[in-house]
Amino acid sequence: MAKPVRLLSVGAFTLDTILRVEALPAHQGKFIASDGVQIASGMATSAACAAHRLGAEVSLWASAGDDPVGDQLIADIQAEGVDCSLIRRVPGARSALAAIVVDAHGERIIVPFYDKKAQADPEALPLADLSGFDAVLVDVRWPGAAALALGAARSIGRPAILDADTAPVEVLERLLPLASHIVASEPAARIVCGHALDPESACADLASRTDAFVAVTGGGAGTWWHDRATGRVRHVEAPKVKAIDTLAAGDVFHGALAVGLAEAMPMEEALRFASAAAALKCLRFGGRLGAPDRAETLAMMAAHWPPSQQTKENA
């Protein structure tokens, strides 16, 4: 068996309280949940756990307070098999929290809290260099750390992958030039482009601004990516599933894509791998707890994109 790839995931580290209701609240009042879990999560954290389930060795660089919540967060992620030795503990800071409500159709409302003291920019990387990692994935929630990690990864030729999600435009503009691979949500693409574009047009617009690989994700509508070899935007459809919970689907997508890039999968294959993993996650309640393993993901790929179909498309 080939040696597992090694990934560094950088960014959000939150204690999520996830509650399932029939419909998202439209007015004030009390609402009884039909299910609920409390887990360590956050964009980079969920991506790290997903990547580990898909066969990678993963280290998490995140920031937490020196409070009991921070202890709980680390214990939870260590139990998933993710290396937490790089996590920063900030004296006197509060660890991040998020309250999340998920409805019967899998849609959600997310209300996070980040203590500015815990999210202060780090002075340096937690390691002398990142050459021990095959790829680096960052989100937009800890921008100072993301900038250091992207720059260091790209300088040594490792995939420097940015999960570009909703954030202040100045954060996105700071991080975009540092990445070798930009995978943006539709809202983030529109923040950067400054006008309402469809995902395909937003992908082309973003690609014109950088020499990095660019993709724009559209959830169940699939992913649009710019193929520099042909100069056109291509589309990878998402497997059609009946979503139970879309929370963390994007994080699972990014974690899976990072694994694919670290393993040097062809881009189309890596995007299908990520799409399959994200679709499977949507079938299970509980945010990142629904992330699939590698066998499930490969089976979904084979079912959705039969080898005969892939051969025709690559001809």
Side-chain angles (χ1 to χ4, degrees):
M1 181 178 176
K3 184 179 178 181
V5 294
R6 292 194 66 209
L7 301 179
L8 176 64
S9 190
V10 181
F13 193 34
T14 64
L15 181 63
D16 287 5
T17 299
I18 309 170
L19 300 172
R20 188 175 185 185
V21 297
E22 183 62 28
L24 295 178
H27 53 80
Q28 66 177 4
K30 293 183 179 180
F31 305 88
I32 304 301
S34 61
D35 201 352
V37 294
Q38 191 172 65
I39 58 171
S41 190
M43 296 165 65
T45 301
S46 295
C49 293
H52 179 69
R53 291 190 183 186
L54 293 169
E57 294 180 357
V58 188
S59 295
L60 177 65
W61 185 28
S63 186
D66 61 350
D67 53 1
V69 172
D71 296 337
Q72 181 181 347
L73 289 170
I74 289 174
D76 198 356
I77 297 306
Q78 283 179 330
E80 281 283 339
V82 172
D83 171 38
C84 293
S85 63
L86 303 181
I87 291 175
R88 182 182 76 170
R89 305 296 296 273
V90 180
R94 290 181 290 170
S95 298
L97 305 170
I100 302 165
V101 179
V102 180
D103 73 10
H105 303 288
E107 296 305 319
R108 74 277 192 203
I109 293 174
I110 305 174
V111 185
F113 164 74
Y114 293 95
D115 184 349
K116 291 182 179 179
K117 188 172 183 179
Q119 297 305 111
D121 288 354
E123 294 181 0
L125 292 166
L127 298 170
D129 68 75
L130 303 183
S131 60
F133 297 101
D134 298 294
V136 173
L137 170 67
V138 312
D139 66 32
V140 293
R141 299 293 175 248
W142 193 17
L148 288 173
L150 288 174
R154 196 164 185 179
S155 71
I156 57 174
R158 301 293 192 273
I161 309 158
L162 173 61
D163 176 356
D165 200 5
T166 303
V169 66
E170 57 268 22
V171 170
L172 293 168
E173 290 180 344
R174 176 185 181 184
L175 299 179
L176 288 169
L178 301 174
S180 65
H181 294 73
I182 298 165
V183 185
S185 65
E186 286 187 68
R190 289 177 181 140
I191 289 170
V192 174
C193 296
H195 44 276
L197 294 174
D198 62 86
E200 182 176 358
S201 299
C203 184
D205 191 325
L206 278 176
S208 71
R209 301 165 182 249
T210 176
D211 62 353
F213 168 82
V214 172
V216 175
T217 57
T223 302
W224 287 262
W225 63 284
H226 186 261
D227 184 352
R228 295 200 181 276
T230 62
R232 64 185 179 94
V233 174
R234 299 174 62 183
H235 180 250
V236 172
E237 64 180 3
K240 299 296 183 280
V241 297
K242 182 174 175 54
I244 298 299
D245 176 10
T246 60
L247 181 65
D251 307 328
V252 171
F253 181 99
H254 287 87
L257 183 62
V259 172
L261 292 174
E263 294 180 358
M265 290 183 188
M267 185 52 68
E268 186 92 1
E269 181 182 353
L271 289 167
R272 287 175 172 178
F273 184 67
S275 297
L280 285 165
K281 184 262 115 16
C282 291
L283 296 174
R284 301 156 183 164
F285 172 74
R288 68 162 179 82
L289 297 179
D293 62 24
R294 193 177 185 96
E296 292 176 285
T297 303
L298 294 176
M300 171 68 87
M301 287 179 70
H304 194 70
W305 296 284
S308 59
Q309 176 185 332
Q310 296 184 42
T311 299
K312 292 178 182 178
E313 291 179 356
N314 294 329

